[in-house]
Amino acid sequence: MTQSIDDLHVYLRTIREGERTSLSVLASLVPQGARVLDLGCGSGALGEYLAQTRGATSDGVTLSEAEADHARPHYRHVVVDNLETCDLRATFAGGRYDAIVCADVLEHLSRPERVLAACRELLTPDGRVLISVPNAGYSGLVAELLQGEFRYREEGLLDRTHLRFFTRRSLRRFLSGENWSLESLDTIERALPDSEFNVPFDSLPPAVASALLASPDALTYQFIAVARPLGEAEAHPNHAEGADDRAALADARFTAELYLGQNGQFDEARKLSATGRIGALDQLLEFAIPAGASFDRLRLDPADRPGFLHLHAVTLQTTTGEVLWQWQADPAAPCLLAGTPHSNIVWHTPLSAQSGPSLLLLSGADPWFALPIEPDALANAAADGAVLKLRLGWPMSADYLALAGAVQPLHERLAAEQAGHAASAAQTARQLRDLRSAFDQAHSRNAVLQEVSTAAQRGHARWQTEAERLQRDYDQLAEHLHTIERSTVFRATRPLVHTKMRIDRLLGRNQTPFSAHAPVPMAPSAHAVDVIVPVYRGLADTQLCVESVLASPCVGPWRLVVINDASPEPEVTAWLRDRAAGEPRMLLLENEENLGFVGTVNRGMALSADNDVLLLNSDTEVANDWLDRLRSAA
């Protein structure tokens, strides 16, 4: 729980019994009577809770004096300092802690490895670091990104002050790279409606939404990690990158539910559940109906999320194996939705016997349909117990491939029949030529030739009739494809268009030539780059900015132009003059009077008439070959 104190600009958090939050989980990991160092202690909620419930003694570090005032009654010692720059070893010299807590801290630091290195020296031999970080792979965030949005907020996963972003895999890699052993990794989940991301998943392609919601950490909002430092001679545990992540993906599940209805009512308390594997094209789910259950209707919720589902067969049988009712996917089989209540499901039967299962498009929040089972079969199942077997597939792929597999055999069959009829027509034509030649040579055999000619004409008429039938079949197939194009399934799986285009290409129709235009690379600029930094106030920010530019290993020619816009802070002016005096790559200009941001920038750009220019705010920190990469992109 978070409460804002506007006058102090302090956020007060509390830990409540029975409430599962990152702080409550971290608190549960602290041993009784432990000595605790709380990095980023804020207003002191964790230290207060640990003192009351664990008998722990806590020290803390926070950035705000106002927060420190709230925290001090619950901590032995509270230090106000910036974790980016403070020396934790010197500040807590001689102290050794059983647990060091970094609760939603590492993501705010540009160099969190410095903090972990200090923690290594401040822990007891059996001490542990307890970490909570937000999950950048949360499905709401990813879905928002897929729709072209990346919006920082005052708090949450995209807090404006976040500098680092973690997923399960990157957190594991980060700790391993700093020589820490990850002992456990827990999660805090948050349902999408309860998050800050208001994403209309229906606007995403169904296959994309299904894949996104099926990921192992789709609803993981935060990770809770317990780590210990490894010694120099200690072998690092085998954490092959992605090994357990792949296992989690291989075991990604969806849930199907069978409701036992009575008098037209379906109650959550009277339902059976079965789980299936996402990605398995052909699997069997079973619902064991207990003997003596009271129901007169069965309702099936085939999956707990929108997407595509292949339905092969549904069978209701006794516990001894006697089939009470059965449905199997077949072009001649009736649609299960015909004449029975259903919701949020679009049904498409197989196009041919070769295409296998029926295709169901599940949409909305609660897709379901009532099974059209005869009352006698339901009565037997209710009295003696039964098993409902559901054979289905959840492919997590664009299901137009299934339809393409149905159309292709039809096309091959049509092509084979057309080739056979063409050969028959050619043979008939040869026979007619031979008959005409014989007729010219022997007019006396007119009666015989007339009979043969009549037979040939009848054969030609049969070929013509068969050719017309084939044309009608092809027209019906084309109309069927147009029906699919107009259907909801087609609109949801646009790649089916490509299936029809492949058929058209095989038939030699609608071939439109096109020409590709090769890209023409631009020659890179030979000018040097002037990095212009206007400065007004803020010594610490200015120092981080200037030092990060001077420390970057850029290859291209550049010059740092710093313009002091009549800063009211003498320490800023003094430091800039001292730093520029010993740095040939840095040019310092000083305005006699304050020109403001635009006037100061214009002065610097006027100085850079022959060079490229890059404007850099004085509170910006750069890293690595940042300028080379920007020039390369430009």
Side-chain angles (χ1 to χ4, degrees):
M1 178 178 178
T2 302
Q3 178 184 1
S4 175
I5 307 298
D6 293 334
D7 57 332
L8 298 176
H9 303 286
V10 174
Y11 287 98
L12 300 180
R13 298 182 65 183
T14 59
I15 301 176
R16 297 179 177 178
E17 290 294 336
E19 183 180 42
R20 181 175 171 81
T21 65
S22 58
L23 277 186
S24 67
V25 174
L26 288 171
S28 70
L29 298 172
V30 175
Q32 286 287 342
R35 291 163 295 177
V36 179
L37 177 58
D38 187 0
L39 300 181
C41 65
S43 58
L46 182 63
E48 179 181 8
Y49 183 82
L50 292 177
Q52 294 173 353
T53 63
R54 300 275 171 169
T57 301
S58 302
D59 295 334
V61 179
T62 186
L63 185 64
S64 165
E65 183 63 45
E67 289 181 335
D69 289 341
H70 282 270
R72 285 191 176 100
H74 313 296
Y75 287 76
R76 180 178 62 183
H77 181 47
V78 176
V79 176
V80 178
D81 208 337
N82 188 343
L83 289 174
E84 287 275 28
T85 56
C86 74
D87 188 348
L88 290 174
R89 300 177 183 87
T91 302
F92 299 97
R96 287 295 181 268
Y97 298 95
D98 302 305
I100 299 179
V101 179
C102 298
D104 296 333
V105 167
L106 299 184
E107 66 270 19
H108 296 273
L109 305 177
S110 61
R111 293 185 293 275
E113 61 274 6
R114 291 182 61 255
V115 173
L116 286 184
C119 292
R120 182 184 297 273
E121 299 184 16
L122 295 174
L123 283 173
T124 63
D126 295 327
R128 299 291 186 268
V129 168
L130 310 179
I131 299 169
S132 68
V133 292
N135 174 28
Y138 183 69
S139 58
L141 191 159
V142 177
E144 190 173 87
L145 183 62
L146 287 174
Q147 294 179 333
E149 180 62 86
F150 194 89
R151 180 164 58 90
Y152 283 94
R153 296 166 170 86
E154 295 303 322
E155 60 181 14
L157 299 187
L158 289 181
D159 187 300
R160 295 183 186 279
T161 61
H162 286 183
L163 301 178
R164 298 290 293 266
F165 298 90
F166 295 95
T167 62
R168 177 186 295 268
R169 187 175 298 176
S170 66
L171 176 60
R172 184 185 301 280
R173 185 168 56 245
F174 169 69
L175 292 174
S176 175
E178 297 303 317
N179 211 27
W180 289 75
S181 173
L182 181 62
E183 292 190 338
S184 68
L185 190 62
D186 200 354
T187 61
I188 300 295
E189 293 193 351
R190 180 172 294 183
L192 285 169
D194 299 332
S195 74
E196 65 269 30
F197 302 101
N198 185 18
V199 181
F201 267 76
D202 290 345
S203 63
L204 293 174
V208 174
S210 296
L212 184 58
L213 292 172
S215 63
D217 291 317
L219 297 180
T220 297
Y221 197 77
Q222 290 169 291
F223 293 110
I224 310 294
V226 178
R228 67 175 181 88
L230 292 173
E232 294 183 1
E234 189 175 0
H236 201 285
N238 181 20
H239 284 313
E241 181 179 335
D244 56 352
D245 299 318
R246 286 192 297 271
L249 277 173
D251 197 38
R253 317 289 290 183
F254 70 94
T255 301
E257 296 176 333
L258 181 68
Y259 285 81
L260 309 181
Q262 182 73 32
N263 300 323
Q265 301 296 319
F266 296 97
D267 190 348
E268 287 291 327
R270 293 165 46 80
K271 70 178 181 181
L272 306 173
S273 297
T275 60
R277 286 194 304 109
I278 292 177
L281 296 177
D282 194 343
Q283 55 190 303
L284 185 66
L285 274 60
E286 295 188 0
F287 302 89
I289 302 174
S294 177
F295 63 90
D296 56 18
R297 199 80 180 265
L298 294 179
R299 192 189 87 179
L300 180 65
D301 293 20
D304 57 351
R305 65 199 70 196
F308 292 99
L309 184 140
H310 289 159
L311 188 59
H312 297 266
V314 184
T315 303
L316 179 66
Q317 63 184 47
T318 65
T319 55
T320 59
E322 178 186 354
V323 175
L324 300 174
W325 176 85
Q326 187 176 42
W327 176 91
Q328 286 187 331
D330 186 273
C335 171
L336 273 179
L337 303 187
T340 189
H342 61 278
S343 175
N344 295 329
I345 297 182
V346 177
W347 183 288
H348 202 288
T349 56
L351 294 181
S352 72
Q354 291 86 350
S355 64
S358 293
L359 177 63
L360 280 67
L361 169 60
L362 312 181
S363 61
D366 187 23
W368 59 268
F369 64 93
L371 292 171
I373 304 177
E374 296 82 2
D376 290 344
L378 291 174
N380 291 336
D384 303 327
V387 177
L388 183 80
K389 295 184 176 181
L390 193 64
R391 185 174 159 227
L392 51 77
W394 188 278
M396 268 188 66
S397 62
D399 287 33
Y400 75 91
L401 293 175
L403 297 178
V407 173
Q408 185 62 28
L410 289 178
H411 170 70
E412 293 173 353
R413 176 183 171 188
L414 179 62
E417 291 185 4
Q418 288 178 331
H421 287 300
S424 176
Q427 182 179 3
T428 301
R430 289 194 298 270
Q431 290 175 347
L432 285 174
R433 287 195 298 271
D434 294 340
L435 288 174
R436 290 193 184 98
S437 176
F439 180 82
D440 293 338
Q441 295 176 3
H443 293 282
S444 60
R445 299 178 181 177
N446 182 57
V448 176
L449 290 175
Q450 184 64 36
E451 182 178 350
V452 173
S453 178
T454 300
Q457 290 174 0
R458 284 197 298 267
H460 181 73
R462 284 195 301 272
W463 169 83
Q464 185 66 33
T465 300
E466 188 65 15
E468 291 174 356
R469 185 185 65 80
L470 285 172
Q471 185 61 45
R472 287 194 302 272
D473 290 347
Y474 178 83
D475 291 341
Q476 291 175 356
L477 176 60
E479 178 59 28
H480 187 70
L481 290 175
H482 286 306
T483 301
I484 296 175
E485 291 180 74
R486 295 189 295 268
S487 70
T488 303
V489 173
F490 180 83
R491 290 196 302 271
T493 57
R494 186 61 182 174
L496 182 57
V497 173
H498 299 294
T499 303
K500 184 174 182 300
M501 292 173 63
R502 289 198 296 270
I503 295 177
D504 289 337
R505 286 197 295 270
L506 291 172
L507 296 178
R509 298 172 8 169
N510 297 333
Q511 301 291 326
T512 304
F514 67 93
S515 59
H517 299 279
V520 180
M522 296 179 62
S525 170
H527 295 298
V529 177
D530 280 345
V531 180
I532 299 177
V533 182
V535 177
Y536 181 64
R537 62 168 70 244
L539 176 60
D541 288 341
T542 301
Q543 288 174 329
L544 285 174
C545 177
V546 171
E547 294 297 346
S548 69
V549 173
L550 294 176
S552 60
C554 295
V555 177
W558 57 275
R559 176 178 61 171
L560 177 60
V561 181
V562 179
I563 308 175
N564 185 348
D565 191 18
S567 174
E569 299 177 355
E571 61 270 19
V572 171
T573 301
W575 185 84
L576 287 175
R577 290 175 178 174
D578 180 70
R579 192 69 179 89
E583 180 53 63
R585 297 173 296 172
M586 177 176 171
L587 173 63
L588 176 63
L589 304 178
E590 296 184 348
N591 295 340
E592 295 181 358
E593 59 181 10
N594 182 262
L595 301 180
F597 180 82
V598 176
T600 302
V601 169
N602 284 340
R603 181 186 180 190
M605 294 180 68
L607 183 69
S608 306
D610 297 326
N611 292 348
D612 291 334
V613 173
L614 188 143
L615 301 182
L616 198 65
N617 288 345
S618 62
D619 60 352
T620 304
E621 187 176 1
V622 299
N624 302 324
D625 56 337
W626 69 285
L627 189 55
D628 291 340
R629 288 184 280 118
L630 282 175
R631 292 194 69 193
S632 175

